[in-house]
């Protein structure tokens, strides 16, 4: 990985297993959409061609959604391979099969917490922010999920933040 400017790698690791629930969203949303369109076509007594057009449109929307996920999902990426340097945290993972990389400066992140074997910057559920960028934009929560020796990694990150 290109670190540039004399950046020093302090720790690297990989996220532990995380339950996958999003597949349900990818299956249920198109099925619900298709079901509603089928119901509407029956109620309105539409011709069979209408149903074919709806199916094609739903397929195009689903494929477009899956292809756009990496663009919009990058700022939410929290699982994958982690690299902690003296200046930033880099997360490399995959979204919809596409490689995605997220990089956050340690100076812009709040002090992390230890939570369930993970090192967490912010919390989506409680609304805690991970930090702010210099331009004022909010940084989405960042969690290093189920990493080995989370206490040690937490200490490394806190020491690096204190040196900045």
């Amino acid at each position: 990985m290109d670190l540039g400017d004399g950046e020093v790698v302090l720790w690297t690791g990989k996220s532990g297993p995380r339950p996958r629930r999003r597949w349900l969203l990818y299956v249920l949303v198109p099925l619900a959409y298709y079901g509603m369109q089928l119901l509407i076509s029956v109620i309105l007594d539409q011709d069979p061609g209408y149903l074919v057009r709806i199916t094609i449109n739903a397929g195009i929307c689903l494929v477009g959604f899956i292809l756009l996920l990496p663009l919009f999902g990058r700022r939410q990426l929290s699982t994958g391979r982690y690299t902690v340097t003296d200046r930033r945290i880099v997360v490399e993972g995959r979204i919809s099969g596409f490689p995605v990389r997220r990089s956050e400066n340690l100076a812009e992140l709040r002090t992390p917490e230890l939570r369930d074997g993970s090192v967490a910057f912010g919390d989506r559920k409680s609304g805690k922010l991970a930090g702010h960028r210099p331009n004022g934009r909010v940084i989405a929560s960042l969690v290093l999920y189920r990493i080995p020796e989370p206490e040690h990694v937490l200490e490394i990150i806190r020491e690096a933040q204190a040196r900045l």
Side-chain angles (χ1 to χ4, degrees):
M1 177 185 354
D2 178 28
L3 296 176
D5 293 332
E7 232 175 314
V8 178
V9 174
L10 304 175
W11 179 84
T12 60
K14 194 172 183 182
S15 60
R18 185 172 180 206
R20 298 205 178 258
R21 295 181 205 137
R22 290 195 175 179
W23 68 269
L24 194 60
L25 176 70
Y26 300 136
V27 172
L28 288 181
V29 169
L31 283 177
Y33 174 79
Y34 187 73
M36 287 188 312
Q37 293 300 323
L38 180 61
L39 183 63
I40 290 170
S41 69
V42 169
I43 291 171
L44 297 178
D45 196 27
Q46 296 289 325
D47 66 298
Y50 174 77
L51 197 56
V52 171
R53 287 191 303 274
I54 292 301
T55 304
I56 291 170
N57 288 340
I60 290 170
C61 289
L62 181 64
V63 168
F65 177 73
I66 289 171
L67 291 176
L68 289 175
L69 268 177
L71 298 175
F72 299 110
R74 182 177 66 131
R75 65 181 280 269
Q76 300 290 332
L77 183 66
S78 283
T79 56
R81 181 127 190 95
Y82 306 116
T83 302
V84 177
T85 72
D86 58 341
R87 297 183 204 162
R88 61 189 170 134
I89 294 178
V90 179
V91 183
E92 295 172 312
R94 293 181 105 49
I95 297 178
S96 298
F98 295 98
V100 180
R101 183 177 180 190
R102 176 182 179 185
S103 178
E104 300 293 352
N105 292 325
L106 288 174
E108 298 169 1
L109 295 171
R110 292 191 175 167
T111 304
E113 301 171 350
L114 191 63
R115 194 173 35 224
D116 299 327
S118 302
V119 176
F121 297 88
D123 184 18
R124 285 184 196 160
K125 292 178 184 174
S126 69
K128 274 188 180 178
L129 303 175
H132 287 88
R133 301 199 191 287
N135 63 5
R137 292 184 66 193
V138 173
I139 299 174
S141 65
L142 173 62
V143 180
L144 282 59
Y145 283 103
R146 298 186 184 139
I147 54 175
E149 302 178 11
E151 298 87 5
H152 176 67
V153 176
L154 178 69
E155 191 59 34
I156 289 172
I157 293 171
R158 286 183 176 170
E159 286 175 8
Q161 282 182 320
R163 286 192 296 263
L164 294 175

